Amino acid sequence: MHQHHQDGQIATWLGERQASTYADGRRCDEIGYLQCKLILKPDRFTSAHVFKEFAALVQRAAETTGVGFQHTPKFMQRPEVREVLFLDTGAYHLYNNAFIVRRRIAYQDGFAIGDPEIVFKYRSDDMVKAQALDVRPRIDGKYKIKFKLEVMPLKEKIGGLRRLLSHNVEFGLSQAPEAARIVMSSLGHMSLPELTKIFPALSSISCDGPDDVSLVNQTIVEELLQDICTLDFGHHTAATANLGLWRARGDHHAFVGEFAFQLRFTGPEDISHKALNHCEQFFLELQQVAGDWLALTTTKTGAVYRLKGNPPQAHE
């Protein structure tokens, strides 16, 4: 623990940046979020009690590494329910080119509430590629860009870190042009060229074969999400951690769980390196404590795409 002068992996990753501009001269987006994620085996999720069980492991790792731990008020409530679905061509042109298009709707007492949220993402472990991709959508309405450094365990063993840079844009469906709204709310078929009108970044994809875009694996995902605690890494840096379970709507077949927490900052300079190093120690310790729960080789989106046994050429 005497390496305070030496930065950990996360702080080093955040220091990597290329100040450049997009085609219209606007400065490239800066990383503004750090998200640490553990993908969990679905067979651990047998009842709501599992959320409490995992929270106890998080508390143990926090105590070992001196991270502040506090249950959130929502911890005692029922998990929130959301519905998530992915759009792609039959041959997975989006996913195979590291793009994801997702729609998410919140549910309350069995009914959809609020504006469905559309998320468009580009993911890469290459900082230059991820930052240089302009994710701005061609819509008249409001949208929000989130450029995240996502940190996960290594695929081959517990106790390390790997990264994905996730360059996202989100907007409410009501903000999209009418034609797109109709397709995305009824999930009618649209073509890749039509989708590219909304997301110009997709124009890099060359599509051979049918370019119809529809629901990936005909699967609507039910997402149960529960906030479990606030983690405090010191230096004014705290994060809410949650536990999510993704399962198929209909037969409730559970296919992946996830523990995640996210730190937000205005730019990579804005966050204390001591806090980042503290966060990294905690995340490595939690991997050890929760080792039996971890599914190292998948991501949540990957699990949906693989449901029917036809794996795409993932770049995750």
Side-chain angles (χ1 to χ4, degrees), residues 87 103 118 173 180-187 195 198-199:
L87 299 174
R103 189 189 82 175
I118 303 296
L173 192 54
R181 267 209 311 275
I182 292 167
V183 172
M184 287 180 164
S185 53
S186 68
L187 294 180
L195 195 59
I198 309 168
F199 302 113

Side-chain angles (χ1 to χ4, degrees), residues 3 6-16 34 149 151-152 154 159-163 273 276-281 283-284:
Q3 308 180 337
Q6 196 192 339
D7 273 339
Q9 183 68 75
I10 294 177
T12 307
W13 279 336
L14 271 181
E16 255 182 64
L34 164 67
L149 169 61
V151 176
M152 290 163 288
L154 293 169
L161 303 173
R162 67 186 177 99
R163 73 169 185 189
H273 282 203
L276 290 174
N277 294 339
H278 204 180
C279 165
E280 184 167 323
Q281 289 159 12
F283 190 58
L284 291 169

Side-chain angles (χ1 to χ4, degrees), residues 226-297:
Q226 173 116 52
D227 282 353
I228 54 178
C229 63
T230 307
L231 297 168
D232 189 338
F233 302 105
H235 315 279
H236 312 290
T237 306
T240 301
N242 54 44
L243 196 57
L245 173 65
W246 279 23
R247 58 190 193 186
R249 221 179 72 180
D251 63 1
H252 291 317
H253 164 70
F255 49 85
V256 70
E258 179 187 71
F259 168 79
F261 61 90
Q262 179 168 277
L263 301 175
R264 191 178 167 183
F265 35 90
T266 48
E269 302 302 297
D270 173 53
I271 188 161
S272 140
H273 282 203
K274 282 187 173 159
L276 290 174
N277 294 339
H278 204 180
C279 165
E280 184 167 323
Q281 289 159 12
F282 162 76
F283 190 58
L284 291 169
E285 176 64 24
L286 182 58
Q287 287 181 43
Q288 302 290 350
V289 172
D292 296 347
W293 293 65
L294 302 186
L296 296 178
T297 54

Side-chain angles (χ1 to χ4, degrees), residues 29-33 127 130-131 145-148 165-167:
D29 301 320
E30 292 271 21
I31 290 182
Y33 298 84
M127 180 65 187
Q131 192 166 31
I145 290 176
K146 293 185 176 175
F147 189 16
K148 302 182 181 186
L165 294 148
S166 186
H167 203 164

